[in-house]
Amino acid sequence: MSAPAESKLYLDLCQQISDARTAFKTSHQDQIEIPDQEIQRRAEEQEPLFDVQRLTAERELLGEFLNDLLAVLKANEFFSREEVDKLVASKEKMDPVELIRPLINGDLPSFKAYAAQLGLETDLVSFVGLNLSQAVAELYADKVKQKVDQESWYKGSCPVCGSYPAIEKLRRDDGKRILRCGLCGTEWHFKRIMCPFCSNEDHNSLRFFVVEEETPTEKSAFRVDVCDKCKIYIKTLDERKLPKSEKPDLYLENLNTIYLDILAQKDGYESPTYWMLAPAEGLIV
Ligand SMILES: [Zn+2]
Ligand SMILES: [Zn+2]
């Protein structure tokens, strides 16, 4: 399959999963219970509002979204039919909690081992694990994110789940810098001149590059911010450069701009959330 055709199939798949997630959230939002006292205590202590380990207690919800996910995978051709059929046939053997645990703990080698134990391709199983984690994390986030105090949270990690940002934007109305969590999708304000990953504020070692286009397109609204102290990059969408009618979805924009990740990595920068983007290029690093 040619690269552009493969990339289109991948984006279609992610769009369909994003729609399935929205439907899942709508029908399950009342099933999440987090005591108010716990949220309040965590907020006072400047901790993320929920502990991601909680997701491992949601076997039933994870199992339900696993069914939705398998239905989407069966209807899409990005992953080979044979592999998807094998995955579906292994469903009874799979424990949805084991599918997300290594991702939540950042223990990718043990994830690889679990995929091997199931006799399945690591790329496909990790894609499923990632999407399961994101769906249930978003369900939690929707429950608590209105309780985030944007004025008192200054960290580069997510105020709701504590994960790293996957992408950011400069907001159209006021140019404010907004980070978007790679796991639960929460967006939060952050200082303009500071690295979210190492808190470096030295403007001499913080810079960005843009990729010039021959004609102005949506892509030219993107830039890549890099920190020369920790050597980490993050992609930034400057909404002010987009037509007012456009309402970009940062989750899909992130998937649609992998060419920028490749450029940044060629320049020697890394991203702690890149593995969430591209199974075809090695989801497991
Ligand atoms: Zn989060
Ligand atoms: Zn840094």
Side-chain angles (χ1 to χ4, degrees):
M1 197 185 298
S2 69
E6 188 172 51
S7 147
K8 163 120 186 31
L9 277 180
Y10 184 55
L11 290 174
D12 284 350
L13 170 63
C14 294
Q15 173 73 66
Q16 288 162 24
I17 291 176
S18 174
D19 293 345
R21 256 193 340 236
T22 305
F24 178 73
K25 278 194 288 184
T26 309
S27 54
H28 292 81
Q29 57 192 354
D30 296 333
Q31 284 172 249
I32 299 293
E33 288 289 342
I34 310 181
D36 274 349
Q37 279 169 317
E38 182 183 334
I39 297 173
Q40 206 175 336
R41 177 189 62 76
R42 295 180 73 94
E44 280 165 11
E45 291 172 6
Q46 288 277 298
E47 280 181 34
L49 296 185
F50 82 86
D51 177 358
V52 285
Q53 295 299 332
R54 268 180 172 270
L55 303 185
T56 60
E58 298 291 358
R59 182 170 273 108
E60 200 179 317
L61 279 174
L62 291 163
E64 281 190 44
F65 192 67
L66 178 60
N67 288 335
D68 298 350
L69 209 48
L70 292 178
V72 172
L73 284 167
K74 275 198 275 189
N76 189 286
E77 294 168 13
F78 177 74
F79 289 105
S80 81
R81 167 82 29 227
E82 196 191 341
E83 270 306 307
V84 172
D85 286 347
K86 256 165 70 180
L87 178 77
V88 173
S90 316
K91 206 188 110 193
E92 299 309 318
K93 278 192 291 175
M94 282 190 288
D95 178 352
V97 173
E98 291 312 315
L99 283 172
I100 68 158
R101 201 193 302 278
L103 297 172
I104 283 175
N105 294 332
D107 179 12
L108 298 180
S110 85
F111 189 81
K112 221 171 179 170
Y114 187 59
Q117 187 190 319
L118 292 168
L120 295 165
E121 291 281 336
T122 314
D123 280 357
L124 176 56
V125 179
S126 49
F127 182 80
V128 169
L130 173 64
N131 279 284
L132 277 183
S133 319
Q134 286 175 328
V136 182
E138 281 189 20
L139 206 51
Y140 268 90
D142 280 4
K143 198 80 183 172
V144 300
K145 69 182 165 197
Q146 71 278 12
K147 297 186 178 154
V148 172
D149 179 359
Q150 293 273 1
E151 303 314 313
S152 67
W153 185 266
Y154 297 109
K155 298 185 188 176
S157 54
C158 174
V160 168
C161 77
S163 301
Y164 286 123
I167 189 166
E168 63 178 38
K169 69 178 177 186
L170 301 178
R171 193 160 61 187
R172 193 194 312 268
D173 300 343
D174 53 11
K176 266 204 171 184
R177 184 182 189 189
I178 312 287
L179 308 182
R180 184 187 196 276
C181 175
L183 182 65
C184 78
T186 296
E187 296 184 355
W188 72 100
H189 302 169
F190 196 62
K191 280 188 182 177
R192 275 296 278 274
I193 310 289
M194 184 187 261
C195 169
F197 305 99
C198 75
S199 305
N200 173 24
E201 290 185 275
D202 174 11
H203 62 88
N204 292 315
S205 52
L206 293 167
R207 59 187 183 86
F208 64 85
F209 68 83
V210 288
V211 181
E212 296 299 338
E213 299 286 315
E214 276 182 22
T215 52
T217 64
E218 191 177 312
K219 284 175 186 166
S220 63
F222 273 96
R223 66 186 214 193
V224 179
D225 281 74
V226 302
C227 170
D228 282 316
K229 198 173 160 207
C230 67
K231 291 283 177 188
I232 293 180
Y233 71 90
I234 185 164
K235 294 181 293 189
T236 306
L237 172 61
D238 189 345
E239 278 189 330
R240 297 165 302 179
K241 293 187 176 168
L242 293 177
K244 278 213 163 68
S245 56
E246 284 192 34
K247 294 198 173 20
D249 173 337
L250 281 183
Y251 168 74
L252 293 172
E253 296 297 340
N254 193 20
L255 292 162
N256 216 0
T257 48
I258 291 176
Y259 67 98
L260 289 173
D261 293 87
I262 293 166
L263 286 174
Q265 289 168 23
K266 271 191 188 148
D267 266 1
Y269 297 93
E270 290 180 6
S271 159
T273 53
Y274 176 68
W275 61 273
M276 295 178 166
L277 281 178
E281 291 173 14
L283 185 61
I284 296 297
V285 288

